């Protein structure tokens, strides 16, 4: 098990005021929280990483603050003794993995790592709900305990719970609750979605 700080921000040790350097340091720090460091591969793309890291260096605190608000809403659906220790952060994930987010149960606290650029900002809460259900269930997979945790969260947060009559529940649960995909996952990280805060408020 990897032991990390309670606050993701403390993983990033830099004295630089340069946004690009701060953003690059952040991505290198987040790589240690992923199930596979190659899930955060933006650090290798010498051409694309300049605008992405610069935007991250300037805006990631605000993005993670929004995600922490959603994480707290998920925690509040359970009694304190039922809340697993969790932390949350955003980062662009390599498209080759084909995922919008992950729950790393092997860090302490459990890490929810989300590529918020892959879904519409109005659905960020739904993305957090899915990954927090994994953390609460305490094991990977879309099994019965995951379904129970997910249903409890959905009911507590005003989201329609997953149906119970599907013939292949695991296949259904792997992408529930549904999130509207972003037409260009990289656009957010290039700073081309300046409206993300106002879109969040419309949910």
């Amino acid at each position: 098990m990897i032991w990390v700080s309670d606050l993701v921000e403390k993983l990033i040790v830099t004295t630089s005021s340069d946004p690009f350097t701060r953003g690059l340091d952040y991505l290198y720090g987040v790589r240690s929280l992923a199930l596979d460091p190659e899930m955060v591969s933006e650090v290798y793309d010498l051409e694309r990483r300049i605008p992405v890291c610069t935007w991250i260096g300037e805006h990631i605190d605000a993005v993670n603050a929004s995600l922490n608000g959603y994480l707290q809403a998920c925690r509040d659906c359970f009694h304190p003794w039922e809340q697993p220790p969790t932390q949350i952060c955003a980062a662009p994930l390599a498209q080759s993995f084909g995922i919008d987010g992950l729950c790393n149960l092997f860090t302490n606290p459990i890490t929810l790592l989300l590529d918020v650029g892959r879904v519409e900002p109005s659905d960020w809460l739904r993305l957090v709900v899915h990954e927090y259900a994994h953390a609460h269930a305490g094991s990977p997979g879309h099994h019965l305990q995951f379904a129970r945790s997910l249903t409890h969260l959905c009911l507590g947060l005003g989201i329609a719970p997953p149906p119970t009559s599907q013939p292949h529940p695991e296949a259904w649960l792997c992408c529930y609750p549904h999130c509207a995909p972003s037409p260009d996952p990289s656009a957010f990280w290039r700073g081309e979605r300046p409206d993300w805060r106002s879109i969040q408020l419309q949910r």
Side-chain angles (χ1 to χ4, degrees):
M1 180 172 286
I2 302 171
W3 291 82
V4 295
S5 166
D6 287 338
L7 295 176
V8 172
E9 290 81 359
K10 292 182 180 178
L11 289 170
I12 316 305
V13 181
T14 179
T15 57
S16 176
S17 60
D18 174 56
F20 169 76
T21 302
R22 291 185 67 242
L24 187 61
D25 287 348
Y26 174 83
L27 289 183
Y28 273 117
V30 168
R31 282 169 59 85
S32 68
L33 300 176
L35 292 168
D36 180 339
E38 297 308 305
M39 289 180 166
V40 184
S41 61
E42 205 73 41
V43 294
Y44 297 131
D45 193 325
L46 298 182
E47 181 178 339
R48 290 182 50 196
R49 74 179 188 176
I50 293 176
V52 170
C53 290
T54 300
W55 191 90
I56 287 174
E58 294 173 337
H59 300 284
I60 198 63
D61 290 343
V63 173
N64 284 341
S66 290
L67 294 181
N68 271 292
Y70 295 143
L71 177 60
Q72 188 58 51
C74 290
R75 289 185 181 124
D76 290 344
C77 291
F78 298 95
H79 296 295
W81 57 87
E82 296 179 300
Q83 300 171 10
T86 51
Q87 63 182 357
I88 193 167
C89 56
L93 298 177
Q95 294 198 30
S96 59
F97 285 87
I99 58 173
D100 301 337
L102 62 91
C103 173
N104 190 347
L105 296 164
F106 299 104
T107 62
N108 190 342
I110 295 169
T111 299
L112 311 184
L113 180 57
L114 309 180
D115 187 342
V116 294
R118 295 180 63 86
V119 304
E120 287 298 308
S122 56
D123 285 340
W124 286 8
L125 172 62
R126 291 168 170 257
L127 191 56
V128 176
V129 163
H130 182 96
E131 299 306 333
Y132 188 81
H134 282 297
H136 186 263
S139 61
H142 302 95
H143 40 64
L144 180 59
Q145 184 54 49
F146 171 82
R148 288 173 175 163
S149 298
L150 182 62
T151 297
H152 186 87
L153 285 162
C154 288
L155 291 172
L157 295 168
I159 300 170
T164 57
S165 58
Q166 293 297 318
H168 304 288
E170 289 194 11
W172 179 265
L173 289 170
C174 73
C175 55
Y176 199 90
H178 174 73
C179 298
S182 170
D184 182 357
S186 298
F188 178 85
W189 299 106
R190 294 193 303 265
E192 296 171 12
R193 291 299 302 270
D195 56 344
W196 65 270
R197 297 185 208 221
S198 60
I199 292 175
Q200 282 184 292
L201 298 176
Q202 296 172 12
R203 68 172 182 84

